[in-house]
Amino acid sequence: MLLPLLAAALLSCSDQHSRSDFAAYDFGMPEPPAAGSITPLPPPPPADPAKVRLGKALYNDTRLSADDSISCATCHDLGRGGDDGRRYSIGVGGAATAVNAPTVLNSSLNLAQFWDGRALTLEAQVAETVQNPTEMGGDWSVIERRLRDDESMVEQFARVYGTRPGRDEIIDATATYLRALVTPDSPFDRYLRGDAAAIGDGARRGYETFVDLGCISCHQGRNVGGNLFQRFGVMGDYFEDRGSLVAADYGRFNVTGREQDRFRFKVPSLRNVAATAPYFHDGSAATLDEAVRAMIRYQLGRPADDEQVERLGDFLRSLSGELDESLL
Amino acid sequence: MKTLIGAVTSVRAQILVGAALLACLVLLLVMSNHTGQREFRELKQALDELETQNIRMDGSIFLLAFEMHTDFDVLTAQQKDLRETALALASILPDGERAILAPAERKLLMVEDFKSEQSILRNSRAIAHEMIERLWTGPGVDSPATRDALFAVERAFLDFLARRDPKAANRLRAVLENPAVGSAVTDLEEWDVLRAHSLNLIDYIDRLTRLMQSPPFIELPVAIFEQNARLTARLAETSAAASRYRSALFVVALLLLAFSAVMVARVRGYLQAIARANNDLESRVARRTQELADVNAALRREIAERESVESQLRIAQKLESIGQLAAGVAHEINTPTQYVSDNVSFLSAVWKDLTPVLEDYERIALRGEADPARSRRIWSEADVPFLSKEVPAALRQSSAGLQQITRIVLAMKNFSHPGSDALQPADLNRAIESTATVARNEWKYVAELTLDLDPDLPLVPCNVSAFNQVVLNLLINAAQAVEEARPKGELGHIRVATRTRAECVEISVEDDGPGIADAIRDRIFDPFFTTKEVGKGTGQGLAISHRVIHGQHGGTLSVEPAPQGRGARFVIRLPQGRLEERGACPALTAADAM
């Protein structure tokens, strides 16, 4: 706002085409107001500890899958940053998923779930993932029967919900657990809170680079992303370069059917990003460095040197927080 | 009205009319109050909420568009809230899905687009600007052609940013695509980036402008406005209905009031009638009470009469016994009187016989005319040795006879002690002795009487006259019983004993007669019950005795098994001490009585 007005004012009164004149009239043009665009993680919402414990048990329970082979934790391993480190995950029966598994950490802070944002709530996400044939392939009636045959489960559900294990309660408990999976107190959050020594010089300069290059336009807010959808390949045709287009590449278009949503994906949170390789919906970037370079190329369409990329890496690594041990 | 209500005469009909009016009133009250008001409030609240949320969301969009706000968290949270409110409204608003939820969803998609494009726009502007800055510091900037070209680019760029209109966009595009400008710039990488981002900027600013002008931006507030208007119209409708209900309510309330007034008047009439009936009743009750009082008085008179008859009866009984006793007493007195009288005659004769002796003594002693022969004759004629032996005996006998008479008279006096009805401390032993004496004639021919009297017996509150009568009755009964049973020429036994017990004194009268049959044991104290032959008893004795002991003395009179297993044993127990202070006098068991 200020910038164009100022520019117009300057232009209207200056006929001498001298760049140094501009420098003389440099009132200290404001930097893009990026500082403060990233905010520390809020604490997880208060929840019934028994419900969270039950959710944790369900999260790790293979009985939620069709053939009793995989659990949520199989593809969203909290020990691996909340995903499985694979390009595509392997669902029941060995089928590969269409997209890379996103992390469950801080997922409750995203505006929607899945890369294409088709689930508006964690409950909807759990419900879909459990019964998705290429993921867990579960049948709710079978799952209910399995859990109802388990005395310990029956007892836990009775204590938490006062009912027998049922679809809605399973989903609710699991979603409650997922909401608890928040990773506060990353070095960068501590830095934001005023602890200047929490991050190193590289990370601090990396943050400046993150702002200067424009990464922060999309990766902002408490979750450093996760609150908008963005087209993949703003400044370059990523998919043409990669080749072999598949349906999943259409992203949000698959949900809304709107042309402007083609190739749009939920901007992923960069929290704990260092632990969630490979990157992007197709897992095409094996390392953080690769991912950063791809982002700069396709999203920012600008030059960046190796040092900047390295600093960005330092900054991104400072976004890794801690999960409460009781949740592991 | 009056006639209508007048026609409704039965109580049930009145209640029915009242209840119907009341039900009408309540129904109208409910209808006038609840015709959609709550639903309206709920809807209105949700619509207002949605409107507020939409305004807030628009505010965030503007803040972001002007880059006064740089993160999307607030806007994203507002989107979430707005979606929830729209979903809630869709469920309560008729046609809500189409009227509210759909425009809300479209607006939310628009906001998503805004976020995507705004962030790209920001970057492209910043990067293009950065590239211009870089070109100004590049190696070719000393060339005037390059500087002119850069000036042209920067001017067109800033002009476009300032104007944001198609003309400015075309000018910028023309500069960027001018081959002369392109060839003048030496830093090709920056130039390419600048070109790409500037063109991107032109494209995205156009897209953003069209987005902000697109229907979804204004559709939702319009939809909210329409719904609010519809709601207001419906409210007007319902409030008109409510006002109609209120009018009806007013009429029904008036009716109910009138009905109540009539009912009150009627109830007052009833109450007056009841009061009159009450007064009537009171006078009747008074009359009845008077009658009852009269009857009561008569009854009391009768009772008094009966009591007086009873007391007369008691006196009669007493007189009867006295009469009965009189013969015996006369006999008792007659015997000593006889021999006292005989002795007096004897003493008169003695006195005549002794006169010559006294005359002789006078002659010798006073006149000195001694004549031993004459004196010897006179002495032997007078038989003085006989006299000096018999006279003292006669005197002794007379004295005893008189004492006997005195005793009988005293006993008689004691027995018939007129006294008052009041209880006074009395020596029961003495009373028993007197009675036994008075009644001596009744028993002495049939039985031996043993008085086994406790010398330490305390004085006991007692009407002695009545008590005597009781003891007499018991003695006479005992004597008659013994007489019945004893073999000819043998005497039976009667034993009267007194004993001091814990709270009372006990007087027992036993005989060895035939005893009392169990069959009649319960009846012997009934008035007019007698086993005696006609003329020998009135059947009043024991009944009166019972009344005297129980009623007058607060004691007990009971018949108990005789100690030897035969005969009868009557026991009187009288409480010690003053009447009002006496304790309970427990009836003693036969065993205790022994």
Side-chain angles (χ1 to χ4, degrees), chain A residues 17-247:
Chain A
H17 294 184
S18 162
R19 179 59 189 168
S20 52
D21 291 345
F22 275 92
Y25 287 102
D26 191 348
F27 296 109
M29 280 195 183
E31 289 294 310
S37 287
I38 296 177
T39 50
L41 275 179
D48 175 6
K51 195 183 275 188
V52 172
R53 272 199 302 280
L54 176 58
K56 179 180 155 187
L58 294 165
Y59 184 83
N60 291 287
D61 199 325
T62 55
R63 284 173 294 188
L64 266 59
S65 64
D67 55 2
D68 198 2
S69 63
I70 60 175
S71 68
C72 305
T74 308
C75 299
H76 301 282
D77 183 352
L78 299 184
R80 292 169 158 272
D83 64 7
D84 55 1
R86 306 174 62 98
R87 183 167 184 180
Y88 298 112
S89 300
I90 307 299
V92 288
T97 54
V99 291
N100 176 259
T103 179
V104 289
L105 298 176
N106 308 305
S107 59
S108 60
L109 304 176
N110 292 338
L111 83 168
Q113 305 302 325
F114 300 118
W115 281 100
D116 55 14
R118 64 182 180 275
L120 289 175
T121 62
L122 281 169
E123 282 80 357
Q125 181 269 318
V126 171
E128 183 182 328
T129 304
V130 167
Q131 62 192 12
N132 188 324
T134 61
E135 295 184 60
M136 300 175 81
D139 177 329
W140 283 111
S141 62
V142 174
I143 294 165
E144 285 175 352
R145 203 173 55 238
R146 284 176 185 162
L147 296 187
R148 284 169 189 176
D149 286 343
D150 178 343
E151 267 181 41
S152 140
M153 273 291 167
V154 168
E155 194 248 338
Q156 283 192 75
F157 272 86
R159 201 170 53 234
V160 175
Y161 293 102
T163 61
R164 295 188 304 163
R167 176 186 181 274
D168 293 349
E169 291 76 27
I170 293 167
I171 290 171
D172 181 68
T174 311
T176 303
Y177 173 64
L178 290 173
R179 270 189 279 276
L181 298 177
V182 175
T183 59
D185 291 329
S186 65
F188 188 68
D189 278 2
R190 295 207 301 276
Y191 171 73
L192 286 179
R193 288 203 195 91
D195 180 0
I199 59 173
D201 197 46
R204 192 154 48 238
R205 282 165 58 208
Y207 175 49
E208 280 164 20
T209 306
F210 190 80
V211 173
D212 289 344
L213 295 190
C215 312
I216 200 153
S217 263
C218 293
H219 295 283
Q220 34 60 55
R222 55 194 180 168
N223 217 12
V224 201
N227 57 7
L228 76 157
F229 297 94
Q230 192 52 276
R231 180 183 157 99
F232 193 9
V234 175
M235 301 305 295
D237 197 334
Y238 168 82
F239 294 102
E240 196 182 302
D241 293 353
R242 195 202 69 192
S244 61
L245 199 68
V246 294

Side-chain angles (χ1 to χ4, degrees), chain B residues 66-82:
Chain B
F66 294 135
E67 291 173 34
M68 292 168 176
H69 217 139
T70 53
D71 78 60
F72 297 124
D73 278 353
V74 172
L75 181 57
T76 306
Q78 286 166 339
Q79 286 174 272
K80 206 165 232 172
D81 292 345
L82 186 130

Side-chain angles (χ1 to χ4, degrees), chain B residues 241-384:
Chain B
S243 126
R244 278 198 299 280
Y245 281 126
R246 265 198 293 280
S247 305
L249 189 73
F250 183 69
V251 170
V252 171
L254 270 183
L255 276 173
L256 190 64
L257 207 65
F259 182 76
S260 305
V262 172
M263 284 302 115
V264 165
R266 200 171 275 184
V267 166
R268 267 183 62 188
Y270 290 153
L271 286 178
Q272 277 165 6
I274 288 169
R276 274 199 302 279
N278 250 345
N279 285 340
D280 195 32
L281 193 66
E282 262 166 37
S283 64
R284 287 215 318 263
V285 166
R287 218 158 46 232
R288 188 79 189 114
T289 307
Q290 184 54 50
E291 281 169 20
L292 279 176
D294 292 350
V295 169
N296 212 1
L299 210 58
R300 212 171 288 140
R301 263 199 313 280
E302 272 167 32
I303 289 169
E305 271 167 30
R306 222 184 94 197
E307 274 170 0
S308 116
V309 165
E310 227 172 65
S311 118
Q312 282 168 10
L313 197 63
R314 219 160 49 226
I315 292 165
Q317 218 249 343
K318 191 167 171 179
L319 290 176
E320 180 200 311
S321 39
I322 288 171
Q324 199 178 348
L325 292 174
V329 169
H331 180 74
E332 286 299 308
I333 291 173
N334 196 38
T335 308
T337 307
Q338 194 105 49
Y339 59 74
V340 168
S341 171
D342 286 351
N343 281 338
V344 168
S345 303
F346 168 67
L347 286 173
S348 304
V350 166
W351 183 251
K352 213 160 91 189
D353 287 350
L354 276 179
T355 305
V357 175
L358 290 171
E359 283 168 0
D360 185 46
Y361 177 76
E362 187 196 5
R363 274 192 303 272
I364 295 163
L366 300 177
R367 288 184 246 149
E369 297 169 5
D371 185 351
R374 188 196 55 190
S375 294
R376 208 172 290 118
R377 186 186 37 87
I378 289 169
W379 186 260
S380 74
E381 270 176 10
D383 197 1
V384 173

Side-chain angles (χ1 to χ4, degrees), chain B residues 422-443:
Chain B
L423 303 185
Q424 278 166 351
D427 180 354
L428 296 186
N429 285 348
R430 199 163 68 103
I432 291 166
E433 278 167 351
S434 297
T435 306
T437 303
V438 170
R440 191 162 181 269
N441 208 45
E442 300 299 316
W443 49 262

Side-chain angles (χ1 to χ4, degrees), chain A residues 257-311:
Chain A
R258 301 190 312 161
E259 198 50 47
Q260 65 261 49
D261 281 329
R262 199 182 291 270
F263 307 123
R264 265 189 192 161
F265 294 88
K266 179 180 69 188
V267 173
S269 164
L270 296 183
R271 290 198 176 272
N272 310 294
V273 71
T276 60
Y279 301 100
F280 308 143
H281 74 282
D282 54 5
S284 61
T287 64
L288 192 57
D289 188 77
E290 264 180 66
V292 168
R293 286 176 193 279
M295 279 285 114
I296 291 170
R297 179 175 174 195
Y298 292 106
Q299 299 305 104
L300 298 176
R302 59 162 297 147
D305 56 39
D306 289 348
E307 199 213 330
Q308 283 177 312
V309 173
E310 204 176 307
R311 278 192 230 138

